[in-house]
Amino acid sequence: MKVAKFGGSSMATATQLQKVGNIIQDDPARKIIVVSAPGKRTPDDVKITDLLIQLGEAYINGESYEQSYEKVMDRFREITEELSLDIALLEDIEQTIKSVIRQDASSISKLDALKSIGEDSSAKILSAYLCSIGLNASYINPKDAGIIVSNDPGNAQILDDSFARIYNLREKVGILVIPGFFGYTEQGELMTFSRGGSDITGSIVAAGVKATLYENFTDVDSVYAVNPTIVANPKEIKTLTYKEMRELSYAGFSVFHDEALIPAFKEQIPVCIKNTNKPHLPGTNIVAEKKQDEKCVVGIASDTGFSSLYVSKYLMNREIGFGRKLLNILEDEGVSFEHAPSGIDDMSVIIRDSKLTKEKEANITKRIYDELHPDTIIMHRDLAMIMVVGEGLVSTVGVAQKATTALASANVNIEMINQGSSEVSMMFGIKAEDLNRSVESLYHVFFD
């Protein structure tokens, strides 16, 4: 039994849905299908989920939401009409939106419910289309599928008891179409995962039913060794390990949500990333272990939008609990950190800019001065992080030397380096303005 997940680009238009139908028809083992909300039809288009968020925020703020509502309905109308589906399906989607808007619920719960309509409607449309082409398919609500989650709107976590319930899906007849991105609490409240959470749903379901393979269909032929918008025609990665994929996803690869592989990883279920538009291509396989003779460095990931909080104090290393107290201040202010390299008299904490408002920065700086009495506090902004990723990287001689030489040859100053904390990656902090030429130089050293 295979679980296949189709992303937003695969669900964006009637033409794409027809491709999805052909893919499902071509392999009888594809018994469980997980879908995203309709994505962009063109680069300047707007995703359905974003339209639903606009609708919800406008309603909550007492503003006019009719324009967003009409755009959502127009998208679904276009898809259902082109697929010649019963108009009752469109009416059902319309009633669902109106019902959520009218329900007596908190703003957070209402917004979660509205966001989920994109995936929910996709699942209903696809199951109806599959039936129209002669397949035995049915829509399965996440509650009925057994996807039980924590009470944490916008960041729900799967509960361990769910997997035994999900396993029961194996007994159902026909093709099952499940909306991604959301589940229900034990009390029956709808909760969404973090953004991109349809990948999480796919991985959860694959783990729950103990699938032989979890296929993730997207709009790329495979995972590439580097961002193709930075390096033209980069090499494809044929095989990755779970750890490598998670590091690459975290550090900027947009193919997979960085939390998505955890359930599949725990159950050792192989994953294959494939292109909906070219399903005959092999794609990229993600496995628990790879062959010993395969290349050490598999990819170079990068991302911008970071700041570094630098704290210096003479004899810091002798002050028991300094690091803990510093991180506790960040925790109290609700700020998570990404990396925390340190020396004997100084410590840097890497934070995503999205987590650090001006108000929080001011509070954190004041508390550090008042409670830890440092010699210096400096906030370095406009940083980018580059991750050189590969199993066995730390134990392979010469990788760090190659990387630093590549950056030096590109005339890029390394603001910070973190090697050894991860067995599969080496991290460099640089100025954001130097990102592209840094990545190009690293790619040529490791892959040309």
Side-chain angles (χ1 to χ4, degrees):
M1 176 184 286
K2 296 179 182 179
V3 172
K5 183 262 174 181
F6 291 90
S9 60
S10 304
M11 307 300 294
T13 65
T15 300
Q16 291 299 98
L17 274 158
Q18 288 167 340
K19 293 178 184 178
V20 170
N22 291 334
I23 290 168
I24 295 169
Q25 271 187 314
D26 286 344
D27 190 347
R30 292 178 177 128
K31 300 288 287 182
I32 300 180
I33 311 300
V34 176
V35 296
S36 295
K40 293 182 177 182
R41 296 162 294 186
T42 60
D44 58 349
D45 198 10
V46 182
K47 296 178 180 180
I48 282 285
T49 301
D50 290 326
L51 291 173
L52 289 165
I53 290 172
Q54 291 172 17
L55 189 162
E57 290 178 342
Y59 179 83
I60 290 165
N61 295 327
E63 300 167 356
S64 173
Y65 61 87
E66 282 76 13
Q67 188 175 7
S68 297
Y69 170 79
E70 288 301 327
K71 286 180 180 179
V72 170
M73 291 308 303
D74 285 345
R75 286 288 302 276
F76 285 126
R77 185 177 295 108
E78 178 183 293
I79 293 171
T80 54
E81 287 181 354
E82 287 186 26
L83 294 175
S84 301
L85 299 179
D86 194 323
I87 193 171
L89 183 56
L90 188 66
E91 292 171 349
D92 176 69
I93 295 170
E94 185 175 29
Q95 287 306 311
T96 300
I97 295 174
K98 290 179 177 179
S99 175
V100 171
I101 290 173
R102 289 194 297 261
Q103 72 183 15
D104 184 18
S106 67
S107 297
I108 295 175
S109 297
K110 192 183 291 288
L111 195 56
D112 253 23
L114 279 170
K115 285 190 292 184
S116 73
I117 290 172
E119 280 74 11
D120 198 53
S121 301
S122 276
K124 291 176 180 176
I125 291 170
L126 179 59
S127 61
Y129 173 67
L130 294 177
C131 289
S132 75
I133 60 173
L135 298 178
N136 179 14
S138 57
Y139 159 84
I140 302 291
N141 184 275
K143 184 189 293 184
D144 298 326
I147 301 173
I148 309 302
V149 299
S150 61
N151 191 342
D152 191 3
N155 194 36
Q157 304 294 316
I158 193 70
L159 301 184
D160 289 340
D161 292 346
S162 296
F163 293 101
R165 303 184 193 188
I166 294 169
Y167 187 78
N168 293 327
L169 293 175
R170 294 180 66 96
E171 300 174 5
K172 293 186 178 292
V173 177
I175 298 165
L176 311 180
V177 186
I178 304 171
F181 187 42
F182 69 101
Y184 288 83
T185 66
E186 291 282 12
Q187 293 71 40
E189 293 184 71
L190 187 152
M191 297 286 157
T192 61
F193 296 117
S194 54
R195 192 70 188 265
S198 291
D199 286 339
I200 299 175
T201 301
S203 184
I204 287 168
V205 173
V209 299
K210 301 190 184 303
T212 55
L213 179 67
Y214 169 38
E215 296 177 309
N216 193 291
F217 285 87
T218 179
D219 56 359
V220 295
D221 295 347
S222 63
V223 178
Y224 295 102
V226 71
N227 188 337
T229 64
I230 297 177
V231 176
N233 303 313
K235 294 185 177 179
E236 296 180 1
I237 305 174
K238 299 301 183 184
T239 306
L240 282 169
T241 65
Y242 296 118
K243 288 182 179 179
E244 289 170 341
M245 188 67 228
R246 176 156 160 73
E247 292 278 357
L248 290 170
S249 297
Y250 161 76
F253 272 45
S254 59
V255 172
F256 244 123
H257 189 291
D258 67 303
E259 296 175 19
L261 288 181
I262 295 173
F265 169 75
K266 288 180 178 178
E267 292 295 327
Q268 300 289 285
I269 294 167
V271 180
C272 186
I273 298 172
K274 294 175 74 70
N275 190 342
T276 301
N277 303 307
K278 302 175 186 176
H280 60 282
L281 296 180
T284 297
N285 292 299
I286 305 172
V287 297
E289 296 179 358
K290 63 181 181 181
K291 297 174 184 176
Q292 291 280 334
D293 59 350
E294 291 187 50
K295 196 168 183 177
C296 171
V297 175
V298 297
I300 300 163
S302 57
D303 205 3
T304 56
F306 293 92
S307 294
S308 172
L309 173 65
Y310 172 79
V311 181
S312 175
K313 185 176 184 181
Y314 184 58
L315 300 179
M316 180 192 292
N317 64 313
R318 297 188 186 179
E319 190 171 328
I320 296 173
F322 187 95
R324 173 183 57 79
K325 292 172 186 174
L326 174 58
L327 296 180
N328 275 348
I329 291 172
L330 293 177
E331 181 181 357
D332 290 345
E333 296 296 328
V335 175
S336 60
F337 72 98
E338 306 296 318
H339 307 277
S342 64
I344 57 172
D345 291 329
D346 47 29
M347 182 174 180
S348 294
V349 183
I350 308 302
I351 304 167
R352 285 191 183 270
D353 291 342
S354 59
K355 305 287 185 183
L356 192 64
T357 64
K358 288 288 186 183
E359 182 181 0
K360 286 184 177 182
E361 180 185 340
N363 292 342
I364 288 167
T365 302
K366 183 178 186 304
R367 285 191 60 186
I368 293 172
Y369 272 123
D370 292 345
E371 299 172 29
L372 301 180
H373 313 293
D375 300 325
T376 307
I377 299 176
I378 301 174
M379 183 66 75
H380 298 285
R381 295 198 171 276
D382 300 318
L383 296 181
M385 295 294 148
I386 298 176
M387 304 275 275
V388 177
V389 177
E391 290 269 11
L393 180 147
V394 174
S395 59
T396 303
V397 175
V399 175
Q401 183 268 332
K402 277 187 176 182
T404 53
T405 299
L407 293 173
S409 67
N411 196 29
V412 173
N413 183 53
I414 300 172
E415 301 290 326
M416 59 170 293
I417 180 171
N418 193 5
Q419 180 186 8
S421 60
S422 168
E423 294 180 355
V424 298
S425 68
M426 183 183 304
M427 188 269 291
F428 298 93
I430 61 170
K431 289 291 186 183
E433 62 191 29
D434 298 329
L435 179 63
N436 283 15
R437 69 173 186 273
S438 299
V439 171
E440 288 171 354
S441 185
L442 286 164
Y443 178 81
H444 292 307
V445 165
F446 286 109
F447 294 97
D448 284 347

